[in-house]
Amino acid sequence: MLRVNNNLSRILIAKFFGTFGSEMLSFAIGLYILWRTVSTLGMGISLVTGPIVSLCITPFVGYAVDTYSHKKIMIASQLGTIVFLLLFALFFIEFPNIYFVELGGIDYVACSF
């Protein structure tokens, strides 16, 4: 039987909660799009976009991880995530009307929940 050390346990727990939180956020965004647009197509596209992008950039990320320093890659990815989330928030606050792209010619419907 394999003996699991303390660091491996911490890594597995952190990975679980990180993935769980990310997937919950993705699903919540999909539900929000469904609520705002009443378009199941829009929700489906929002849920499929992440895995497709991940599939497309996996070869490039694999090459970068094999070639460059892991510490520098982690720092750059965290800084990039912070910068792009801040830009997204500023863009959303500044231009809330153009946040949702019309999907398939479906007009936005104001839902009253």
Side-chain angles (χ1 to χ4, degrees):
M1 179 181 251
L2 282 175
R3 186 181 141 182
V4 179
N5 64 16
N6 197 19
N7 287 337
L8 183 59
S9 299
R10 288 181 188 170
I11 290 171
L12 289 174
I13 291 170
K15 179 71 174 165
F16 171 76
F17 283 113
T19 303
F20 183 73
S22 174
E23 294 299 320
M24 288 296 290
L25 177 65
S26 176
F27 187 69
I29 290 172
L31 287 177
Y32 182 69
I33 289 172
L34 178 65
W35 175 68
R36 287 291 301 257
T37 64
V38 191
S39 169
T40 54
L41 179 64
M43 180 183 179
I45 289 173
S46 74
L47 292 175
V48 168
T49 302
I52 290 175
V53 170
S54 296
L55 184 65
C56 292
I57 66 170
T58 296
F60 304 108
V61 171
Y63 173 76
V65 168
D66 290 342
T67 306
Y68 302 109
S69 167
H70 293 174
K71 184 176 181 179
K72 289 180 183 177
I73 291 172
M74 289 298 295
I75 291 171
S77 67
Q78 291 299 314
L79 288 175
T81 301
I82 291 168
V83 167
F84 283 113
L85 283 174
L86 287 173
L87 288 174
F88 175 75
L90 291 173
F91 185 77
F92 183 70
I93 290 169
E94 203 58 39
F95 306 105
N97 295 334
I98 61 172
Y99 176 68
F100 295 106
V101 178
E102 290 189 66
L103 300 168
I106 299 172
D107 293 330
Y108 300 124
V109 177
C111 297
S112 58
F113 288 127

